[in-house]
Amino acid sequence: NKSGVIQIVDREKLIKGPAAPTPENLRAPVVLAQNFSEQLPDGHDGAIVNLLDQRMLKPTPQFLSYGVSKAGLHWLTVTLAQAMAPRIRVNAVAPGAMDTEMTKVLREDEQLLARVLATIPLGRRGTIEDVARRTGLDRRTAKKYIDTMHANR
């Protein structure tokens, strides 16, 4: 399959936009990163943390569109990190099975939950607080590390 178009975009255009055509599911992270870059006060450094998923590394047909989206976000994260360094650090975390609204079906199906938990060395699903602590963005320390930036577009 040869589908695809290559369009060369210079670093400045990627940061300030509009960038090359972006798949719909990746447009928001691009626009948010561009707005963050534009609004970050002079003399300040910034950080962007994107949320990936371990499914990106363990593809299965059941999660095709989700996995492709997360793989695209991984590529975008690496590209933005290269373009925005050193002023803005762009990283990502890829947690495994999480206890969120998206996975509430596991709370409703005890047998399915037991099968999932049997595959996790810690024997439990992760929480949003686990991810926040790992990225330094938990409620107790977030104010020390981040400023809220608002997109005005």
Side-chain angles (χ1 to χ4, degrees), residues 19-35 73 76:
T22 307
E24 194 62 40
N25 56 349
L26 297 176
R27 187 161 292 129
V30 169
V31 170
L32 288 169
Q34 289 170 338
N35 279 285
L73 184 57
L76 179 65

Side-chain angles (χ1 to χ4, degrees), residues 29-51:
V30 169
V31 170
L32 288 169
Q34 289 170 338
N35 279 285
F36 181 79
S37 174
E38 291 171 8
Q39 294 180 36
L40 186 64
D42 290 338
H44 287 77
D45 293 335
I48 295 171
V49 179
N50 288 321
L51 291 175

Side-chain angles (χ1 to χ4, degrees), residues 26-139:
L26 297 176
R27 187 161 292 129
V30 169
V31 170
L32 288 169
Q34 289 170 338
N35 279 285
F36 181 79
S37 174
E38 291 171 8
Q39 294 180 36
L40 186 64
D42 290 338
H44 287 77
D45 293 335
I48 295 171
V49 179
N50 288 321
L51 291 175
L52 303 177
D53 188 302
Q54 56 89 22
R55 280 274 164 219
M56 171 185 83
L57 302 174
K58 299 177 183 178
T60 64
Q62 296 94 333
F63 301 105
L64 176 66
S65 61
Y66 180 77
V68 169
S69 294
K70 291 300 185 175
L73 184 57
H74 176 258
W75 183 292
L76 179 65
T77 299
V78 172
T79 304
L80 289 173
Q82 294 167 347
M84 296 182 157
R87 186 167 180 242
I88 298 174
R89 297 176 321 281
V90 183
N91 292 289
V93 293
M98 298 290 293
D99 188 11
T100 65
E101 271 306 299
M102 194 170 102
T103 60
K104 69 181 178 183
V105 67
L106 293 176
R107 281 180 254 149
E108 298 164 357
D109 185 335
E110 290 183 25
Q111 290 179 336
L112 179 58
L113 178 58
R115 286 198 316 266
V116 169
L117 293 179
T119 68
I120 301 172
L122 289 177
R124 69 173 181 85
R125 293 184 295 158
T127 65
I128 293 169
E129 288 76 20
D130 291 329
V131 173
R133 276 192 301 277
R134 184 67 180 136
T135 58
L137 299 175
D138 67 307
R139 290 183 189 101

